[in-house]
């Protein structure tokens, strides 16, 4: 029987999904990205070697697995080619193992220019985007004027559509557009590179549905995190795509009824890059210590991440939105030094406890968080591989998170390498995986 699972970030991205996908891959045939673009940075360490994958699913690092980029992804051909080159240099054989949807929208030069200008115009209110042209590309998609990968098939049509698309933005907003010959040259330069991706293009929906019909095991890999989801995240401080599990269906062309389970990945604490509300943010020495111990710097932008404590109301909201069936907790070892660990368990706003995650970013910005302080274990957990070997207080901490969020913890990551992972062998889901091979 086929298996179809979605893996998502429970928080604001950077939960360590790349490593978890790499570990889970062993049990799947195909790994699929369904949204976002080169704004993501999935760090995977294999035999001491560090790979940062921005577009290609981490499944590519496992021989014999197929990596798929679904139609919901916005594609920067140059970024894809650079990534392919880096994999090739590292000796990773990609040929025949990467498929890219011919319906992916293309990130064009004006998208990046426009994003930089739009962020500058927002001043102190900026989103803190990754400057990869993600938002404006999705704007063009929704505005029905975008270019898609299938438009690369015919050179002359591509030039015409490129010029139309570039010209559709107000020149002053994008910091000045090239016109005439310069625009023609920009189109030619873009096409010369972008056409190199055409051998990877295919109808991904048909491929994936065939795979599932044939009893194959398919894993969907969310980028960013649920709280950055365009509809459900901390709007407007979000990314422009559907990062939550529902995005997998539209972003790859499979029916929602195909999905059998959703795995949520969360750090044992919390981080966020860019602007926007972060109720359990830790300021001063506490936050700095987490950043330093967890090496919390953006994989794509190098920006220091804001750090804080596990946020139960946010995780519960995320569990509900995604229909989480399993939880994976990463970077547990980063908390090893602490005598006490605060966990945010409720939000209070204007004197009353909120019963749901607020829609309004300004409300979230001003909630008062109720904390529960749990005892730390102050022992080394780095690299442990068996649940029984964890200090009792670390196990209690994990049990507490699972009970509060209402989702079982099936896996714990205790370091960046594949083997630094604890599977909860006692959990039926894990046993079912093991049986399925
Ligand atoms: P954009 O996706 O570049 O438009 O950025 C929108 C927001 O999402 C900003 O706050 C970014 O910092 C954040 N963001 C985008 N991609 C990631 C990611 O992969 N990890 C964490 N934050 C991200």
């Amino acid at each position: 029987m086929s298996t179809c699972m979605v893996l998502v970030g429970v928080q604001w991205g950077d939960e360590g999904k790349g490593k978890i996908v790499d570990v889970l891959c062993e049990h799947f045939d195909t790994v699929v990205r369904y949204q976002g673009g080169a704004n993501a940075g999935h760090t995977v360490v294999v035999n001491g070697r560090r790979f940062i994958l921005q577009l290609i699913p981490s499944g590519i690092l496992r021989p014999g697995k197929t990596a798929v980029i679904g139609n919901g992804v916005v594609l920067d051909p140059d970024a894809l080619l650079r990534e392919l080159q880096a994999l090739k240099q590292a000796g990773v054989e990609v040929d025949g193992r990467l498929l890219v949807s011919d319906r992916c929208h293309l990130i064009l030069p004006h998208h990046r220019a426009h994003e930089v200008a739009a962020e500058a115009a927002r001043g102190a209110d900026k989103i803190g985007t990754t400057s990869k042209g993600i938002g404006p590309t999705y704007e063009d998609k929704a505005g029905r004027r975008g270019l898609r990968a299938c438009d690369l098939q015919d050179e002359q049509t591509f030039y015409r559509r490129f010029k139309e698309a570039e010209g559709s933005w107000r020149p002053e907003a994008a910091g000045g557009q090239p016109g005439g010959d310069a625009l023609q040259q920009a189109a030619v330069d873009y096409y010369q590179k972008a056409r190199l991706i055409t051998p990877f293009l295919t109808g991904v929906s048909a491929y994936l549905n065939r795979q599932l019909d044939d009893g194959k095991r398919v894993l969907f890999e969310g980028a960013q995190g649920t709280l950055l989801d365009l509809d459900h995240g901390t709007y407007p401080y979000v990314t422009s795509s559907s990062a939550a599990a529902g995005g997998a269906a539209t972003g790859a062309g499979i029916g929602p009824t195909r999905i059998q389970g959703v795995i949520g990945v969360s750090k044992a604490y919390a981080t966020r890059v860019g602007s926007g509300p972060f109720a359990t943010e830790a300021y001063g020495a506490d936050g700095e210590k987490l950043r330093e111990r967890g090496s919390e710097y953006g994989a794509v932008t190098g920006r220091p991440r804001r750090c804080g404590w596990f946020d139960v109301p946010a995780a519960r909201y995320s569990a509900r939105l995604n229909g989480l069936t399993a939880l994976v907790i990463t970077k547990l070892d980063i908390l090893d030094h602490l005598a006490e660990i605060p966990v945010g368990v409720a939000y209070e706003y204007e004197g009353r406890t909120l019963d749901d995650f607020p829609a309004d970013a300004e409300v979230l910005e001003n909630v008062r968080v109720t904390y529960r302080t749990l005892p730390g274990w102050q022992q080394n957990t780095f690299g442990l591989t068996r649940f029984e070997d964890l200090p009792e207080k670390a196990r209690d901490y994990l049990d507490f998170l699972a009970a509060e969020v209402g989702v079982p913890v099936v896996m714990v990551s205790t370091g960046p390498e594949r083997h630094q992972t604890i599977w909860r062998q006692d959990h039926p889901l894990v046993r079912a995986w093991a049986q399925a091979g």
Side-chain angles (χ1 to χ4, degrees):
M1 209 185 76
S2 65
T3 307
C4 180
M5 308 280 273
V6 183
L7 179 139
V8 291
V10 169
Q11 301 163 308
W12 286 279
D14 307 318
E15 296 93 349
K17 297 181 291 295
K19 173 203 156 158
I20 304 305
V21 170
D22 178 60
V23 170
L24 288 177
C25 246
E26 205 186 328
H27 304 277
F28 290 86
D29 302 299
T30 305
V31 185
V32 190
R33 267 285 299 272
Y34 58 86
Q35 44 74 231
N39 49 349
H42 291 166
T43 309
V44 185
V45 181
V46 184
N47 297 331
R49 208 165 172 168
R50 195 163 172 263
F51 294 88
I52 296 180
L53 296 164
Q54 291 185 247
L55 272 166
I56 304 178
S58 357
I60 203 75
L61 299 176
R62 295 255 189 193
K65 310 290 175 183
T66 306
V68 176
I69 296 180
N71 55 276
V73 170
V74 285
L75 205 63
D76 178 346
D78 198 27
L80 181 62
L81 292 168
R82 274 187 274 118
E83 211 164 306
L84 284 167
Q85 183 64 19
L87 286 169
K88 206 167 175 183
Q89 273 166 4
V92 178
E93 190 50 70
V94 174
D95 286 351
R97 296 204 297 121
L98 175 67
L99 303 175
V100 179
S101 168
D102 51 10
R103 287 175 166 83
C104 282
H105 276 252
L106 296 173
I107 299 181
L108 302 176
H110 74 271
H111 290 134
R112 275 187 298 272
H114 181 75
E115 180 176 345
V116 171
E119 279 283 85
R122 289 181 77 106
D125 227 14
K126 68 174 197 264
I127 309 288
T129 66
T130 57
S131 309
K132 301 286 180 188
I134 306 296
T137 308
Y138 281 114
E139 280 183 59
D140 269 359
K141 176 179 176 175
R144 293 161 295 186
R145 53 181 176 263
L147 255 78
R148 298 185 300 167
C150 57
D151 294 322
L152 291 166
Q153 304 291 3
D154 180 76
E155 192 171 350
Q156 293 312 318
T157 312
F158 177 82
Y159 290 150
R160 182 175 51 78
R161 304 220 49 219
F162 183 96
K163 282 189 251 177
E164 280 166 12
E166 289 271 327
S168 67
W169 288 77
R170 283 175 299 122
E172 67 277 16
Q177 291 283 331
D181 290 349
L183 185 54
Q184 175 64 23
Q185 191 55 48
V188 171
D189 291 347
Y190 189 95
Y191 184 79
Q192 291 310 320
K193 270 199 182 154
R195 74 191 169 87
L196 300 175
I197 69 167
T198 53
F200 299 104
L201 301 182
T202 192
V204 155
S205 164
Y207 174 81
L208 291 175
N209 280 282
R210 240 185 353 256
Q211 288 266 298
L212 291 168
D213 290 343
D214 290 348
K216 294 283 188 338
R217 296 157 300 176
V218 180
L219 177 66
F220 290 85
E221 172 187 1
Q224 291 82 46
T226 305
L227 302 176
L228 286 173
D229 181 277
L230 178 62
D231 285 85
H232 302 288
T234 51
Y235 193 89
Y237 304 100
V238 291
T239 191
S240 300
S241 64
S242 299
T250 46
I254 55 143
T257 47
R258 292 278 198 181
I259 300 169
Q260 298 157 330
V262 184
I263 306 159
V265 183
S266 170
K267 275 178 189 157
Y269 49 101
T271 63
R272 165 160 215 175
V273 216
S275 323
F278 180 2
T280 59
E281 183 162 8
Y283 299 98
D286 282 351
E288 273 163 34
K289 191 83 184 167
L290 286 174
R291 185 174 313 117
E292 176 204 320
R293 282 184 58 87
S295 305
E296 297 294 356
Y297 296 89
V300 175
T301 58
R303 289 181 291 176
R305 295 179 186 140
R306 298 155 66 192
C307 297
W309 308 114
F310 191 91
D311 182 335
V312 169
R316 237 185 240 154
Y317 171 67
S318 194
R320 185 188 78 212
L321 281 173
N322 292 301
L324 292 187
T325 46
L327 200 56
V328 174
I329 299 290
T330 59
K331 295 187 117 171
L332 183 72
D333 56 294
I334 304 307
L335 304 181
D336 284 354
H337 65 294
L338 291 165
E340 290 183 326
I341 309 173
V343 175
V345 291
Y347 294 161
E348 208 182 273
Y349 182 70
E350 293 183 340
R352 64 182 183 91
T353 301
L354 297 184
D355 57 11
D356 199 2
F357 195 76
D360 187 341
E362 240 177 81
V363 173
L364 187 57
E365 197 72 71
N366 290 298
V367 294
R368 232 194 52 166
V369 179
T370 309
Y371 286 95
R372 174 89 178 263
T373 303
L374 276 82
W377 43 93
Q378 297 191 292
Q379 286 176 57
N380 179 37
T381 64
F382 181 77
L384 293 184
T385 56
R386 289 170 4 131
F387 194 71
E388 317 73 275
D389 293 343
L390 285 173
E392 192 183 346
K393 285 177 181 143
R395 281 182 273 149
D396 290 347
Y397 182 74
L398 293 167
D399 287 345
F400 179 78
L401 300 189
E404 288 287 313
V405 180
V407 181
V409 173
V410 299
M411 192 197 278
V412 184
S413 172
T414 56
E417 291 271 2
R418 273 178 189 163
H419 68 273
Q420 293 167 327
T421 305
I422 297 172
W423 287 85
R424 291 291 305 262
Q425 302 293 353
D426 54 333
H427 195 276
L429 198 71
V430 176
R431 280 207 299 272
W433 267 332
Q435 273 160 17

